[in-house]
Amino acid sequence: ADPSAVPEVWKVGPGDVYTGQAQKAMYLLKENPQLFEGAVEETLEALRDQREVEEANKEQAAIAAGKEEPGKDALVLRKRIEEVRAAERQRIVTEMLYLKVCARFKNLKVPLIPSIKSGGNVKFGQLDLKGLTTDIYSQDALDLVREHLFRIIGQQGSTSFMGGLAVVQIALFQVGQVYAMSALFGYYLRRVDARYQLEKLAGNFGAWGETDAAEAPNPFADDKEGAQSLKEYISNFGPQEVARMTSIASAEAQMAMEHQVTALFGDLRILKEKLVNALGMVTSQEEATRKLEAAIQANEVESIRITSDDLRRLVLEAVAYGALLNDSEKQVDTIYELTPASSRVSALMGDDEEGGRYLSE
């Protein structure tokens, strides 16, 4: 038989998992997927119970310490052991979260794109984009996904690039940042759309508490036809709401997103440093563009050649990854309380500027 006619074995995603629990879950996802969710829940419950036992032991140790002064070395050792165990739990949960997102892609019959960190010509093959669009978004959210896609595509060259087979050469850092920014956009969009749909439902059913209708904060209270779009709804956010809605809720979700981006493109901070060094000092956007094109041609920075069809798929996958990560994060948090994120997304983007800016445009 022609080897090329044999379908490729389904792969979980470009990222590797290392913990024993995650490797077991990955095996089930490949070979016996109906057991996958049960195995993940069992692992999360075990980790939750382990943490509760450690917290109880910590309280007992604190009480005992009040009666008998422990040595300094013993305190340092105990604290170190607690930190190691907490870090190991976080790593397991992060990998489980990553696999849950991969499982969603498998259910959608959408294979995740492979690593492209080596650069060169990139070809992903044909795919029905329904699994990355209408199958996972409300119509309100889909309109904003479409706007985001057109904005990204429009930034990558002339209008002739809109032809499906037209090819553009892009620095690997640029396409990595596009993926990271799009994943963040998908995460934020899912979070905002959930609130939007809930408030619209509450307004339509007149269930917005006991607030007087004239003072009701619900924007849909007097909107019988639901005419306010999701984009208009977002535009009414104040600074505090924008800050809250454009942040990743948990450290584990942030790490799962970074894991995907790094597996695909490598460390964006290193790629950015190479690009900045290749450009040197620039005084205008035109000069930066000219120097970047020269650096790409001279192979001074890693780059890829990609068709507009494949770039479209890459952007849509990234947005979907963020949205499905938000879903999976909520599911995991019902079993195992996740760690609140303590920082913005600087490591993910190569810097911390412009995170979530597309939501308000």
Side-chain angles (χ1 to χ4, degrees), residues 136-148:
I136 55 175
Y137 301 112
S138 68
Q139 185 57 51
D140 300 294
L142 190 58
D143 290 341
L144 289 186
V145 172
R146 187 179 294 111
E147 283 189 23
H148 175 80

Side-chain angles (χ1 to χ4, degrees), residues 173 176-177 180-181 184 188 246-248 250-251 253-255 257-259 261-262 266-273 341-356:
F173 169 73
Q177 199 170 44
M181 182 171 58
L184 289 167
Y188 304 154
T246 57
S247 59
I248 297 180
S250 71
Q254 186 168 322
M255 290 165 64
M257 193 177 287
E258 291 175 7
H259 184 61
V261 172
T262 302
D267 191 326
L268 293 192
R269 290 167 295 188
I270 294 175
L271 291 174
K272 180 182 179 180
E273 185 178 352
S342 59
S343 63
R344 295 298 291 261
V345 291
S346 56
L348 179 64
M349 296 292 295
D351 56 52
D352 59 355
E353 296 177 358
E354 299 186 315

Side-chain angles (χ1 to χ4, degrees), residues 18 24 26 45 60 66 93 135 150 162-163 182 194 209 256 268 316 320:
Y18 300 96
K24 175 187 173 183
M26 182 174 67
E45 289 169 352
Q60 292 177 358
V93 173
D135 283 354
F150 289 160
M162 294 301 289
S182 297
L268 293 192
L316 289 175

Side-chain angles (χ1 to χ4, degrees), residues 58 61-62 65 70 73-83:
K58 189 176 179 180
D73 290 344
L75 287 174
V76 171
L77 179 60
R78 184 187 303 159
K79 184 177 180 181
R80 181 57 185 154
I81 291 173
E82 291 171 356
E83 290 173 348

